[in-house]
Amino acid sequence: MNPHIAATLIFTLGLGTTITFASSHWLLAWMGLEINTLAIIPLMSQHHHPRATEATTKYFLIQATAAATILFASATNAWLTGEWEIQHMKHPLPATATTMALALKLGLAPMHFWLPEVLQGLDLMTGLILSTWQKLAPFALLMQTPSTNSELMILLGLASTVVGGWGGLNQTQLRKLLAYSSIAHLGWMVLVLQFNPQLTTLALLTYLVMTFSAFVVFKINSSTNINTMATSWAKAPALATLTPLIMLSLGGLPPLTGFAPKWLILQELTKQELPLVATLAALAALLSLFFYLRICYTAALTGPPNTLTNTAPWRLLTHQLALPLAIFASASLLLLPFTPTALALLAP
């Protein structure tokens, strides 16, 4: 793609998200979401491949459906209450419709079916944008929408954590694994959203850092399935050491950064007298941990002689992503001691 066109599209992507962040009116927020969707479509379809075209079409249809539902719900709210403000979504019918539409945009279970298929059809860098930046605008609206049905949010969160863990168990494609990882992490955030929005923000920031690190590691390795991770130790031993650590951080094991949000969310759910929800979420995290451990095993403990059918590719390592990887990988592994500081900074 022409660099000028790519720069324009990325600028427009940022503009759409910023408009949604800055808006207090539903029409302006909807317009930001639409600009965002239209900007990423050319980036998704830049590789003229049937899988990319299919993924782009699916993504466009899903996002258009969700945007139309948001517009319908906000218009219904204006008709019932006379208010277009995001903070004044008081009626339960449009509030529930908006929540479900934003859940569809984010890929929360049970509206998650499009996300693994779409991510599988994209290259790793576009997949990174889809898994990180594209979550920000819908999540900002979800955090701003008041009078959200408490039982609905807990149901969405629990379903996402369970589906995110269960769906990834039998996968060998890394992009699909990261899609199910995204579903599970968003489920954790939605569980605690109504009780402690600051904790949700902390979990979202941690998720963005860890997911960025995972995508960049796979990009440098040119890995798209688990089997190709087995040959990475011979090409880049440092990267092969880093990969399991980032995966374990995504799984939420101490003393890595990913442990902090899970620990605090379980604590908050227990404080809110929801021990059963906390227990189910913790058990669902074990499902996710299993497929992270599969990647760790393949990357760190599998070596020749083995029965892999793929040939070991000879390639020179690229250094263009080395600095971002160093920064984000360090943040993914070492920030647990700074959790109190982060909570103090995010406190209202």
Side-chain angles (χ1 to χ4, degrees):
M1 182 178 280
N2 186 306
H4 301 297
I5 295 173
T8 306
L9 290 172
I10 290 167
F11 172 77
T12 311
L13 205 61
L15 178 67
T17 307
T18 310
I19 288 172
T20 304
F21 280 172
S23 60
S24 58
H25 192 286
W26 270 115
L27 277 181
L28 203 59
W30 171 82
M31 189 175 74
L33 290 173
E34 286 297 285
I35 291 171
N36 211 339
T37 303
L38 292 174
I40 201 173
I41 294 264
L43 290 172
M44 292 171 75
S45 60
Q46 62 180 312
H47 302 291
H48 301 293
H49 188 276
R51 290 303 297 269
T53 308
E54 181 189 340
T56 309
T57 309
K58 284 178 181 173
Y59 183 77
F60 175 73
L61 291 173
I62 291 291
Q63 298 299 311
T65 304
T69 309
I70 289 169
L71 194 59
F72 170 73
S74 52
T76 306
N77 185 65
W79 177 46
L80 292 170
T81 64
E83 288 285 355
W84 279 99
E85 297 290 312
I86 294 173
Q87 301 288 346
H88 294 151
M89 181 76 79
K90 299 295 183 189
H91 198 278
L93 177 65
T96 305
T98 305
T99 303
M100 296 305 282
L102 291 170
L104 178 62
K105 266 192 172 294
L106 287 165
L108 290 171
M111 287 83 69
H112 67 283
F113 296 101
W114 62 273
L115 185 57
E117 295 299 323
V118 166
L119 212 57
Q120 179 61 24
L122 304 178
D123 68 298
L124 285 164
M125 284 296 102
T126 315
L128 169 62
I129 296 171
L130 191 69
S131 299
T132 54
W133 187 261
Q134 291 298 92
K135 307 288 185 194
L136 296 179
F139 219 91
L141 290 177
L142 200 59
M143 291 180 80
Q144 287 182 71
T145 309
S147 71
T148 306
N149 187 330
S150 177
E151 289 79 11
L152 176 66
M153 295 298 278
I154 289 173
L155 196 64
L156 284 171
L158 268 182
S160 297
T161 51
V162 172
V163 165
W166 214 317
L169 288 181
N170 205 28
Q171 298 295 337
T172 57
Q173 297 293 324
L174 292 174
R175 285 166 293 187
K176 281 193 177 180
L177 282 173
L178 287 171
Y180 283 110
S181 163
S182 172
I183 293 164
H185 277 91
L186 288 169
W188 280 86
M189 294 172 218
V190 168
L191 271 178
V192 81
L193 178 60
Q194 58 197 320
F195 306 122
N196 192 337
Q198 290 75 37
L199 199 47
T200 301
T201 308
L202 176 67
L204 181 61
L205 291 173
T206 311
Y207 159 77
L208 295 178
V209 167
M210 294 186 298
T211 305
F212 185 94
S213 305
F215 268 101
V216 171
V217 161
F218 297 150
K219 173 68 175 173
I220 292 175
N221 261 330
S222 301
S223 301
T224 53
N225 62 26
I226 287 186
N227 283 350
T228 53
M229 296 301 296
T231 57
S232 65
W233 66 271
K235 300 191 300 292
L239 212 56
T241 310
L242 201 57
T243 306
L245 291 172
I246 292 169
M247 290 299 115
L248 293 176
S249 185
L250 273 167
L253 288 190
L256 305 170
T257 307
F259 175 62
K262 285 189 169 63
W263 170 35
L264 293 168
I265 287 169
L266 290 176
Q267 184 184 29
E268 184 65 32
L269 289 172
T270 312
K271 280 183 188 173
Q272 298 294 335
E273 298 181 355
L274 294 167
L276 183 61
V277 175
T279 306
L280 288 171
L283 289 173
L286 293 176
L287 292 172
S288 299
L289 187 59
F290 176 79
F291 64 75
Y292 294 130
L293 285 172
R294 277 178 67 207
I295 299 175
C296 294
Y297 172 76
T298 311
L301 298 171
T302 306
N306 56 39
T307 55
L308 297 182
T309 54
N310 63 307
T311 55
W314 178 267
R315 60 173 79 84
L316 294 171
L317 280 176
T318 173
H319 297 288
Q320 59 185 358
L321 293 167
L323 182 61
L325 177 61
I327 294 167
F328 280 86
S330 302
S332 300
L333 305 180
L334 304 173
L335 290 187
L336 183 63
F338 298 97
T339 305
T341 310
L343 286 173
L345 288 172
L346 292 169

